[in-house]
Amino acid sequence: MEAVSLPDQLPEQVQGTAAKADLFKVLETPPLLGRFFTADECVAGRDTVVLLTEEMWRKKFAAKPDALGQTLRISGRIFTIIGVLPKALLRALCLRRGPVLPPLGLFERANGKP
């Protein structure tokens, strides 16, 4: 569980999933808004971007495109929103664990990997 908060809002405890850029290369489904991670953004220390689920984008940002470029805090670190994952893509990947998807570098660092 991670504490996720938007500016001027109380943090929420959510369970999330991390992903590498390669995951999206094999898919032919574009993001609903914005873009996916680059390989450089999946390296620990350069992983300061995040994808939102369509559900969170609709709930917290009223489905407005200006969500891109805004920031949110995950477990004390600030991330920039770069894209929105469509519901269909999440179902196809069996990703049902939370409203945000950071790069895998965050997960690796949390587990003591360089």
Side-chain angles (χ1 to χ4, degrees):
M1 296 286 275
E2 303 287 341
V4 174
S5 60
L6 297 167
D8 302 323
Q9 293 186 13
L10 294 174
E12 295 179 35
Q13 291 292 320
V14 300
Q15 192 167 6
T17 302
K20 284 194 172 190
D22 295 350
L23 174 66
F24 303 112
K25 282 184 179 181
V26 299
L27 305 171
E28 294 185 5
T29 304
L32 191 61
L33 182 69
R35 63 178 179 83
F36 293 130
F37 306 129
T38 65
D40 287 343
E41 292 168 331
C42 292
V43 175
R46 290 186 255 162
D47 54 345
T48 58
V49 294
V50 69
L51 298 167
L52 300 180
T53 61
E54 182 177 348
E55 180 181 353
M56 183 176 193
W57 176 59
R58 292 186 184 287
K59 179 180 173 185
K60 298 290 186 179
F61 294 94
K64 293 181 181 174
D66 66 356
L68 294 181
Q70 291 193 40
T71 60
L72 57 85
R73 189 176 294 271
I74 302 174
S75 296
R77 288 188 58 218
I78 295 175
F79 290 78
T80 301
I81 299 165
I82 62 164
V84 176
L85 297 168
K87 271 190 250 182
L89 181 58
L90 292 173
R91 280 193 297 267
L93 295 172
C94 298
L95 296 175
R96 296 186 182 114
R97 296 184 58 197
V100 296
L101 193 76
L104 193 56
L106 174 69
F107 177 76
E108 289 172 340
R109 184 174 41 255
N111 287 298
K113 294 181 181 177

